[in-house]
Coordinates of all heavy atoms in Angstrom, one line a residue:
M30 N 0.8 -1.2 0.0 CA -0.1 0.0 -0.1 C 0.9 1.3 0.0 O 1.8 1.4 0.7 CB -0.9 -0.1 1.2 CG -1.8 1.1 1.4 SD -2.9 0.9 2.8 CE -3.2 2.6 3.3
T31 N 0.6 2.1 -0.8 CA 1.3 3.4 -0.9 C 0.5 4.5 -0.3 O -0.7 4.4 -0.4 CB 1.7 3.8 -2.4 OG1 0.5 4.0 -3.1 CG2 2.6 2.8 -3.0
S32 N 1.2 5.4 0.3 CA 0.4 6.5 0.7 C 0.7 7.8 0.0 O 1.9 8.0 -0.3 CB 0.7 6.8 2.3 OG 2.1 7.1 2.5
G33 N -0.2 8.6 -0.2 CA -0.1 9.8 -0.9 C 0.3 10.9 0.0 O 0.6 10.7 1.2
P34 N 0.5 12.1 -0.5 CA 0.8 13.3 0.4 C -0.3 13.5 1.4 O -1.5 13.2 1.2 CB 0.9 14.5 -0.6 CG 0.1 14.1 -1.8 CD 0.1 12.5 -1.8
L35 N 0.1 14.0 2.6 CA -0.8 14.2 3.7 C -1.7 15.3 3.3 O -1.1 16.4 2.7 CB 0.0 14.4 5.0 CG 0.7 13.3 5.6 CD1 1.5 13.8 6.8 CD2 -0.4 12.2 5.9
L36 N -2.9 15.3 3.6 CA -3.8 16.4 3.3 C -3.5 17.5 4.4 O -3.0 17.1 5.5 CB -5.3 16.0 3.5 CG -5.7 15.1 2.4 CD1 -7.2 14.6 2.9 CD2 -5.8 15.8 1.1
P37 N -3.7 18.8 4.1 CA -3.4 19.8 5.1 C -4.3 19.6 6.3 O -5.6 19.2 6.1 CB -3.7 21.1 4.4 CG -4.4 20.7 3.1 CD -4.1 19.3 2.9
R38 N -3.9 19.8 7.5 CA -4.7 19.7 8.6 C -5.8 20.8 8.6 O -5.5 21.9 8.2 CB -3.9 19.9 10.0 CG -3.0 18.8 10.2 CD -2.3 19.0 11.5 NE -3.4 19.0 12.5 CZ -3.4 18.3 13.6 NH1 -2.5 17.4 13.8 NH2 -4.3 18.5 14.5
R39 N -7.0 20.5 8.8 CA -8.1 21.4 8.9 C -8.8 21.6 10.2 O -9.8 22.3 10.3 CB -9.2 20.9 7.9 CG -8.6 20.8 6.4 CD -9.8 20.6 5.5 NE -9.3 20.4 4.1 CZ -9.0 21.4 3.4 NH1 -9.0 22.7 3.7 NH2 -8.6 21.2 2.2
D40 N -8.1 21.1 11.2 CA -8.6 21.3 12.6 C -8.1 22.5 13.3 O -8.2 22.6 14.5 CB -8.5 20.1 13.4 CG -7.1 19.6 13.6 OD1 -6.1 20.2 12.9 OD2 -6.8 18.7 14.3
R41 N -7.3 23.3 12.6 CA -6.7 24.5 13.3 C -7.8 25.5 13.7 O -8.7 25.8 13.0 CB -5.7 25.2 12.5 CG -5.1 26.3 13.1 CD -3.8 26.8 12.3 NE -3.4 27.9 12.9 CZ -3.1 29.0 12.3 NH1 -3.1 29.2 11.0 NH2 -2.6 30.1 13.0
I42 N -7.8 25.9 15.0 CA -8.8 26.9 15.5 C -8.5 28.1 15.1 O -7.4 28.7 15.3 CB -9.0 26.7 17.1 CG1 -9.4 25.3 17.4 CG2 -9.9 27.8 17.5 CD1 -9.4 25.1 19.0
E43 N -9.4 28.7 14.2 CA -9.2 30.1 13.7 C -10.1 31.2 14.3 O -9.9 32.3 14.2 CB -9.2 30.0 12.1 CG -8.0 29.2 11.6 CD -8.0 29.2 10.1 OE1 -9.0 29.7 9.4 OE2 -7.2 28.5 9.5
R44 N -11.4 30.6 14.7 CA -12.4 31.5 15.2 C -12.9 31.0 16.5 O -13.2 29.8 16.6 CB -13.5 31.8 14.2 CG -13.1 32.3 12.9 CD -12.4 33.6 12.8 NE -13.3 34.6 13.1 CZ -12.9 35.9 13.2 NH1 -11.7 36.1 13.2 NH2 -13.8 36.9 13.4
V45 N -13.0 31.9 17.5 CA -13.6 31.4 18.8 C -14.7 32.5 19.1 O -14.4 33.5 19.8 CB -12.7 31.3 19.9 CG1 -13.3 30.9 21.3 CG2 -11.6 30.2 19.5
P46 N -15.9 32.4 18.6 CA -16.9 33.5 18.8 C -17.2 33.6 20.3 O -17.6 34.6 20.8 CB -18.0 33.2 17.9 CG -17.9 31.7 17.6 CD -16.3 31.4 17.7
V47 N -17.4 32.4 21.0 CA -17.8 32.4 22.4 C -16.7 31.7 23.2 O -16.3 30.6 23.0 CB -19.1 31.7 22.5 CG1 -19.5 31.6 24.1 CG2 -20.2 32.3 21.8
L48 N -16.2 32.5 24.2 CA -15.2 32.0 25.1 C -15.8 31.8 26.4 O -16.4 32.7 27.0 CB -14.0 33.1 25.2 CG -13.0 32.8 26.1 CD1 -12.0 31.7 25.5 CD2 -12.1 34.0 26.4
I49 N -15.5 30.6 27.0 CA -16.0 30.3 28.3 C -14.8 30.4 29.4 O -13.8 29.7 29.1 CB -16.7 28.9 28.4 CG1 -17.8 28.8 27.5 CG2 -17.1 28.6 29.9 CD1 -18.5 27.5 27.4
L50 N -14.9 31.2 30.3 CA -13.8 31.6 31.1 C -14.2 31.2 32.5 O -15.3 31.4 33.1 CB -13.6 33.1 31.1 CG -12.3 33.7 31.6 CD1 -11.1 33.0 30.8 CD2 -12.3 35.1 31.5
F51 N -13.3 30.5 33.2 CA -13.3 30.2 34.5 C -12.5 31.0 35.4 O -11.3 30.6 35.7 CB -13.0 28.6 34.8 CG -13.9 27.7 34.1 CD1 -13.9 27.5 32.8 CD2 -14.9 27.0 34.9 CE1 -14.8 26.6 32.1 CE2 -15.7 26.1 34.2 CZ -15.7 25.9 32.9
P52 N -12.9 32.2 36.0 CA -12.0 33.0 36.7 C -11.4 32.4 38.0 O -10.4 32.7 38.4 CB -13.0 34.2 37.1 CG -14.1 34.2 36.2 CD -14.3 32.6 35.8
H53 N -12.3 31.6 38.6 CA -11.8 30.8 39.8 C -12.8 29.8 40.1 O -13.7 29.6 39.4 CB -11.6 31.8 40.9 CG -12.8 32.4 41.5 ND1 -13.1 32.5 42.7 CD2 -13.8 33.0 40.8 CE1 -14.2 33.1 43.0 NE2 -14.8 33.4 41.7
E54 N -12.6 29.0 41.2 CA -13.5 28.0 41.5 C -14.1 28.1 42.8 O -14.5 27.0 43.5 CB -12.5 26.6 41.5 CG -11.3 26.8 42.3 CD -10.4 25.7 42.0 OE1 -10.5 24.8 41.1 OE2 -9.3 25.6 42.7
R55 N -14.2 29.2 43.3 CA -15.0 29.4 44.6 C -16.4 29.7 44.3 O -16.9 30.4 43.3 CB -14.4 30.4 45.5 CG -13.0 30.1 45.9 CD -12.3 31.1 46.8 NE -12.4 32.4 46.4 CZ -11.4 32.9 45.5 NH1 -10.5 32.1 45.1 NH2 -11.5 34.2 45.2
C56 N -17.3 29.5 45.3 CA -18.8 29.8 45.2 C -19.4 30.0 46.5 O -19.0 29.2 47.5 CB -19.5 28.8 44.4 SG -21.2 29.4 43.9
N57 N -20.2 30.9 46.7 CA -20.9 31.1 48.1 C -22.3 30.5 48.0 O -22.9 30.6 49.0 CB -21.0 32.7 48.3 CG -21.7 33.4 47.2 OD1 -21.9 32.9 46.1 ND2 -22.0 34.7 47.4
C58 N -22.6 29.7 47.0 CA -23.9 28.9 47.0 C -23.6 27.5 47.3 O -22.4 27.1 47.3 CB -24.6 29.0 45.6 SG -25.2 30.7 45.2
R59 N -24.6 26.8 47.7 CA -24.4 25.3 48.1 C -25.4 24.6 47.3 O -26.2 23.8 47.9 CB -24.6 25.2 49.5 CG -23.6 26.0 50.4 CD -22.2 25.5 50.3 NE -21.2 26.2 51.1 CZ -20.4 27.2 50.7 NH1 -20.6 27.6 49.4 NH2 -19.6 27.7 51.4
C60 N -25.4 24.6 46.0 CA -26.3 23.9 45.2 C -26.1 22.4 45.3 O -24.9 21.9 45.3 CB -26.3 24.3 43.8 SG -26.7 26.1 43.5
L61 N -27.2 21.7 45.4 CA -27.1 20.1 45.6 C -26.5 19.5 44.4 O -25.7 18.4 44.5 CB -28.4 19.5 45.9 CG -29.0 20.0 47.2 CD1 -30.4 19.4 47.4 CD2 -28.1 19.5 48.4
M62 N -26.7 19.9 43.2 CA -26.2 19.3 42.0 C -24.8 19.6 41.6 O -24.3 19.2 40.5 CB -27.2 19.6 40.8 CG -27.0 20.9 40.2 SD -27.7 22.2 41.3 CE -27.9 23.6 40.2
C63 N -24.1 20.4 42.4 CA -22.9 20.9 42.1 C -21.9 20.6 43.3 O -22.4 20.8 44.4 CB -22.9 22.2 41.7 SG -21.4 23.1 41.4
D64 N -20.6 20.3 43.1 CA -19.7 20.2 44.3 C -18.6 21.2 44.1 O -17.6 21.1 44.9 CB -19.2 18.8 44.4 CG -18.5 18.3 43.2 OD1 -18.3 19.1 42.2 OD2 -17.9 17.2 43.3
I65 N -18.6 22.2 43.3 CA -17.6 23.2 43.2 C -17.3 24.0 44.5 O -16.2 24.4 44.7 CB -17.8 24.2 42.0 CG1 -16.4 24.7 41.6 CG2 -18.8 25.1 42.2 CD1 -16.5 25.4 40.2
W66 N -18.4 24.1 45.2 CA -18.3 24.8 46.4 C -17.5 24.1 47.5 O -17.0 24.7 48.5 CB -19.6 25.3 47.0 CG -20.6 24.2 47.1 CD1 -21.5 23.7 46.2 CD2 -20.8 23.4 48.3 NE1 -22.2 22.7 46.6 CE2 -21.8 22.4 47.9 CE3 -20.3 23.4 49.5 CZ2 -22.2 21.5 48.8 CZ3 -20.7 22.4 50.5 CH2 -21.7 21.5 50.1
K67 N -17.3 22.8 47.3 CA -16.4 22.0 48.2 C -14.9 22.2 48.0 O -14.1 21.7 48.7 CB -16.8 20.6 48.2 CG -18.2 20.2 48.6 CD -18.5 18.7 48.4 CE -20.0 18.5 48.7 NZ -20.4 17.1 48.5
T68 N -14.6 22.8 46.9 CA -13.2 23.0 46.5 C -12.5 23.9 47.5 O -13.1 25.0 47.8 CB -13.2 23.6 45.1 OG1 -13.9 22.8 44.2 CG2 -11.8 23.8 44.6
T69 N -11.4 23.5 47.9 CA -10.7 24.3 48.8 C -9.5 25.1 48.1 O -8.8 25.8 48.8 CB -10.1 23.5 50.0 OG1 -9.3 22.4 49.4 CG2 -11.2 22.9 50.8
G70 N -9.3 24.8 46.9 CA -8.2 25.4 46.1 C -8.3 26.9 46.0 O -9.4 27.5 46.1
R71 N -7.3 27.6 45.7 CA -7.3 29.0 45.5 C -6.8 29.3 44.1 O -6.4 30.4 43.9 CB -6.4 29.7 46.6 CG -7.0 29.7 47.9 CD -8.1 30.6 47.9 NE -8.7 30.7 49.3 CZ -9.8 31.3 49.5 NH1 -10.4 31.9 48.5 NH2 -10.3 31.4 50.7
N72 N -7.0 28.4 43.2 CA -6.7 28.8 41.8 C -7.5 29.8 41.3 O -8.8 29.7 41.4 CB -6.7 27.5 40.9 CG -5.7 26.3 41.3 OD1 -4.7 26.6 41.8 ND2 -6.0 25.1 41.1
Q73 N -7.0 30.7 40.6 CA -7.8 31.8 40.1 C -6.9 32.5 39.0 O -5.7 32.6 39.0 CB -8.3 32.8 41.0 CG -7.3 33.7 41.7 CD -7.9 34.7 42.7 OE1 -9.0 34.4 43.1 NE2 -7.2 35.7 43.0
L74 N -7.6 33.0 38.0 CA -6.9 33.8 37.0 C -6.5 35.2 37.5 O -7.3 35.8 38.2 CB -7.8 34.0 35.8 CG -8.3 32.8 35.1 CD1 -9.3 33.2 33.9 CD2 -7.1 32.0 34.6
S75 N -5.3 35.6 37.1 CA -4.9 36.9 37.5 C -5.3 37.9 36.5 O -5.4 37.5 35.3 CB -3.4 36.9 37.8 OG -2.7 36.8 36.5
P76 N -5.4 39.3 36.8 CA -5.7 40.2 35.7 C -4.5 40.2 34.7 O -4.8 40.5 33.6 CB -5.8 41.5 36.5 CG -6.1 41.1 37.9 CD -5.5 39.8 38.2
E77 N -3.3 40.0 35.1 CA -2.2 40.0 34.2 C -2.3 38.8 33.2 O -2.1 39.0 32.0 CB -0.9 39.8 34.9 CG -0.5 40.9 35.9 CD -1.3 40.9 37.1 OE1 -1.8 39.9 37.5 OE2 -1.4 42.1 37.7
E78 N -2.8 37.6 33.6 CA -3.0 36.6 32.7 C -4.2 36.9 31.6 O -4.0 36.8 30.5 CB -3.5 35.3 33.4 CG -2.5 34.6 34.2 CD -3.0 33.4 35.0 OE1 -3.8 33.6 35.9 OE2 -2.5 32.3 34.7
V79 N -5.2 37.6 32.2 CA -6.3 37.9 31.3 C -5.8 39.0 30.3 O -6.1 38.8 29.0 CB -7.6 38.4 32.0 CG1 -8.6 39.0 31.1 CG2 -8.0 37.3 32.9
R80 N -5.0 39.9 30.8 CA -4.6 41.0 29.8 C -3.7 40.3 28.8 O -3.7 40.7 27.7 CB -3.8 42.0 30.7 CG -4.7 43.2 31.0 CD -3.8 44.3 31.4 NE -3.0 44.1 32.8 CZ -3.6 44.2 33.9 NH1 -4.8 44.5 34.1 NH2 -2.9 43.9 35.0
S81 N -2.9 39.3 29.1 CA -1.9 38.8 28.2 C -2.7 38.0 27.1 O -2.1 37.6 26.1 CB -1.0 37.8 29.0 OG -1.5 36.6 29.4
W82 N -3.9 37.6 27.4 CA -4.5 36.8 26.4 C -5.5 37.6 25.5 O -6.0 37.2 24.5 CB -5.5 35.8 27.1 CG -4.7 34.7 27.9 CD1 -3.4 34.2 27.5 CD2 -5.1 34.0 29.1 NE1 -3.1 33.3 28.5 CE2 -4.1 33.2 29.4 CE3 -6.3 34.2 29.8 CZ2 -4.2 32.4 30.6 CZ3 -6.3 33.4 31.0 CH2 -5.3 32.5 31.4
T83 N -5.8 38.8 25.9 CA -6.8 39.6 25.1 C -6.6 39.8 23.7 O -7.4 39.9 22.8 CB -7.1 41.1 25.8 OG1 -5.8 41.7 26.0 CG2 -7.7 40.8 27.1
E84 N -5.2 40.1 23.4 CA -4.9 40.2 21.9 C -5.2 39.0 21.1 O -5.7 39.1 20.0 CB -3.4 40.6 21.8 CG -3.1 41.1 20.3 CD -4.0 42.2 19.9 OE1 -4.4 43.1 20.6 OE2 -4.4 42.0 18.7
E85 N -4.8 37.9 21.7 CA -5.2 36.6 21.0 C -6.7 36.4 20.9 O -7.3 36.0 19.9 CB -4.6 35.5 21.8 CG -4.8 34.2 21.0 CD -4.0 32.9 21.6 OE1 -3.4 33.2 22.7 OE2 -4.0 31.9 21.0
W86 N -7.5 36.8 21.9 CA -9.0 36.7 21.8 C -9.5 37.7 20.7 O -10.4 37.2 20.0 CB -9.5 37.0 23.2 CG -9.2 36.1 24.3 CD1 -8.8 34.9 24.2 CD2 -9.4 36.3 25.6 NE1 -8.5 34.3 25.4 CE2 -9.0 35.2 26.3 CE3 -9.9 37.4 26.4 CZ2 -9.0 35.1 27.7 CZ3 -10.0 37.3 27.8 CH2 -9.5 36.1 28.5
R87 N -8.8 38.8 20.6 CA -9.3 39.7 19.5 C -9.0 39.1 18.2 O -9.8 39.0 17.3 CB -8.6 41.0 19.6 CG -9.1 41.9 20.6 CD -8.6 43.3 20.5 NE -9.1 44.1 21.7 CZ -8.2 44.2 22.6 NH1 -7.1 43.9 22.8 NH2 -8.8 45.0 23.8
R88 N -7.8 38.5 18.0 CA -7.5 37.8 16.7 C -8.4 36.6 16.5 O -8.7 36.4 15.3 CB -6.0 37.3 16.9 CG -5.5 36.8 15.6 CD -4.0 36.3 15.7 NE -3.8 35.4 16.8 CZ -4.0 34.0 16.7 NH1 -4.7 33.5 15.7 NH2 -3.8 33.2 17.8
L89 N -8.8 35.9 17.5 CA -9.7 34.8 17.2 C -11.1 35.2 17.0 O -12.0 34.4 16.9 CB -9.6 33.9 18.5 CG -8.3 33.1 18.5 CD1 -8.1 32.3 19.8 CD2 -8.1 32.1 17.2
G90 N -11.4 36.6 17.1 CA -12.8 37.0 16.9 C -13.7 36.8 18.1 O -15.0 36.5 17.9
V91 N -13.3 36.7 19.3 CA -14.1 36.5 20.5 C -15.2 37.6 20.5 O -14.8 38.8 20.6 CB -13.4 36.4 21.8 CG1 -14.2 36.3 23.0 CG2 -12.4 35.1 21.8
R92 N -16.4 37.2 20.5 CA -17.5 38.3 20.6 C -18.2 38.2 21.9 O -18.9 39.3 22.3 CB -18.5 38.0 19.5 CG -17.8 38.2 18.1 CD -18.7 38.1 17.0 NE -19.9 39.0 17.1 CZ -19.8 40.2 16.5 NH1 -18.9 40.6 15.9 NH2 -21.0 41.1 16.7
R93 N -18.2 37.1 22.6 CA -18.9 37.0 23.9 C -17.9 36.2 24.8 O -17.4 35.2 24.4 CB -20.2 36.2 23.7 CG -21.2 36.8 22.8 CD -21.9 37.9 23.6 NE -23.0 38.4 22.9 CZ -22.9 39.6 22.0 NH1 -21.8 40.2 21.9 NH2 -24.0 39.9 21.4
V94 N -17.9 36.6 26.0 CA -17.3 35.8 27.2 C -18.2 35.4 28.1 O -19.0 36.2 28.7 CB -16.1 36.7 27.8 CG1 -15.5 35.9 28.9 CG2 -15.1 37.1 26.7
V95 N -18.3 34.1 28.3 CA -19.3 33.5 29.4 C -18.5 33.2 30.6 O -17.4 32.5 30.5 CB -19.9 32.2 28.7 CG1 -20.8 31.6 29.9 CG2 -20.7 32.5 27.6
L96 N -18.8 33.7 31.7 CA -18.1 33.5 32.9 C -18.7 32.3 33.7 O -19.9 32.3 33.8 CB -18.1 34.7 33.9 CG -17.5 36.0 33.3 CD1 -17.7 37.2 34.1 CD2 -16.0 35.7 33.0
S97 N -17.9 31.3 33.9 CA -18.3 30.1 34.6 C -17.5 29.9 35.8 O -16.8 30.7 36.3 CB -18.3 29.0 33.6 OG -19.0 27.9 34.2
G98 N -17.6 28.6 36.2 CA -16.7 28.2 37.4 C -17.6 28.3 38.6 O -18.7 27.7 38.6
G99 N -17.1 28.9 39.5 CA -18.0 29.2 40.7 C -18.7 30.5 40.5 O -19.1 30.7 39.4
E100 N -18.6 31.3 41.5 CA -19.3 32.7 41.4 C -18.2 33.7 40.9 O -17.4 34.1 41.7 CB -20.0 33.1 42.7 CG -20.4 34.5 42.8 CD -21.3 34.8 41.6 OE1 -22.3 34.2 41.5 OE2 -20.9 35.8 40.8
P101 N -18.3 34.2 39.8 CA -17.3 35.0 39.1 C -17.1 36.4 40.0 O -16.1 36.9 40.1 CB -17.7 35.3 37.7 CG -18.6 34.2 37.4 CD -19.3 33.8 38.6
L102 N -18.2 36.8 40.6 CA -18.2 38.1 41.2 C -17.4 38.0 42.6 O -17.2 39.0 43.1 CB -19.6 38.6 41.5 CG -20.4 38.9 40.2 CD1 -21.8 39.4 40.5 CD2 -19.7 40.0 39.4
L103 N -17.1 36.9 43.0 CA -16.3 36.8 44.3 C -14.7 36.9 43.9 O -14.0 37.0 44.8 CB -16.5 35.3 44.8 CG -17.8 35.0 45.5 CD1 -17.8 33.6 46.0 CD2 -18.1 36.0 46.6
H104 N -14.5 36.9 42.7 CA -13.1 37.2 42.2 C -12.7 38.6 42.5 O -13.3 39.6 42.0 CB -13.0 36.8 40.8 CG -11.5 36.7 40.3 ND1 -10.7 37.9 40.3 CD2 -10.7 35.7 39.8 CE1 -9.5 37.5 39.9 NE2 -9.5 36.3 39.5
P105 N -11.6 38.9 43.3 CA -11.3 40.3 43.6 C -10.9 41.1 42.5 O -11.1 42.4 42.5 CB -10.1 40.1 44.6 CG -9.5 38.7 44.4 CD -10.7 37.9 43.9
G106 N -10.4 40.5 41.3 CA -10.0 41.3 40.2 C -10.9 41.3 39.1 O -10.6 41.6 37.9
F107 N -12.2 40.8 39.3 CA -13.1 40.6 38.3 C -13.5 41.9 37.6 O -13.5 42.0 36.4 CB -14.5 40.0 38.8 CG -15.6 39.9 37.7 CD1 -15.5 39.0 36.7 CD2 -16.5 40.8 37.8 CE1 -16.5 38.9 35.9 CE2 -17.6 40.8 36.9 CZ -17.6 39.9 35.9
A108 N -13.8 42.9 38.3 CA -14.3 44.2 37.7 C -13.4 44.8 36.9 O -13.7 45.2 35.7 CB -14.8 45.1 38.9
P109 N -12.2 45.0 37.3 CA -11.1 45.6 36.4 C -11.0 44.8 35.1 O -10.8 45.3 34.0 CB -9.9 45.7 37.2 CG -10.4 45.6 38.6 CD -11.6 44.8 38.6
S110 N -10.9 43.4 35.3 CA -10.7 42.6 34.0 C -11.9 42.7 33.2 O -11.7 42.6 32.0 CB -10.5 41.1 34.5 OG -9.3 41.1 35.3
A111 N -13.1 42.8 33.6 CA -14.3 42.8 32.9 C -14.4 44.1 31.9 O -15.1 44.0 30.9 CB -15.5 42.6 33.7
R112 N -13.8 45.2 32.3 CA -13.8 46.4 31.6 C -13.1 46.3 30.3 O -13.3 47.1 29.3 CB -13.3 47.5 32.4 CG -14.2 47.8 33.5 CD -13.8 49.2 34.2 NE -14.5 49.3 35.4 CZ -14.0 49.1 36.6 NH1 -12.8 48.8 36.8 NH2 -14.8 49.2 37.7
R113 N -12.1 45.4 30.1 CA -11.3 45.4 28.9 C -12.0 44.7 27.8 O -12.6 43.9 27.8 CB -9.9 44.8 29.3 CG -9.3 45.8 30.2 CD -7.9 45.4 30.4 NE -7.2 46.5 31.1 CZ -7.3 46.7 32.5 NH1 -7.9 46.0 33.1 NH2 -6.6 47.7 33.1
Ligands
LIG215 S1 -21.2 27.0 40.9 FE1 -23.3 27.3 40.3 S2 -24.2 25.5 40.6 FE2 -22.2 25.3 41.7 S3 -22.7 25.9 43.8 FE3 -22.2 27.8 42.7 S4 -24.1 28.6 42.0 FE4 -24.5 26.4 42.5

């Protein structure tokens, strides 16, 4: 069996119209169907990380950012990051 030339890859991500962002993993609710509020970790995005990604998000055509995770408003740097 001979193989021909490889086809160009077509799975390169070029557009991301909706970005889902997890600012951190804390939540002040205690919903029964979710266990994220049991998380004791302190992982969270920093404003510097978000700023470092914004140019790439523009290039990828991000039009909407959906905040998920725990409760995004508990993030101390949420408001300044959301303005950009
Ligand atoms: S992350 Fe959402 S579903 Fe989970 S405890 Fe918080 S409010 Fe409830």
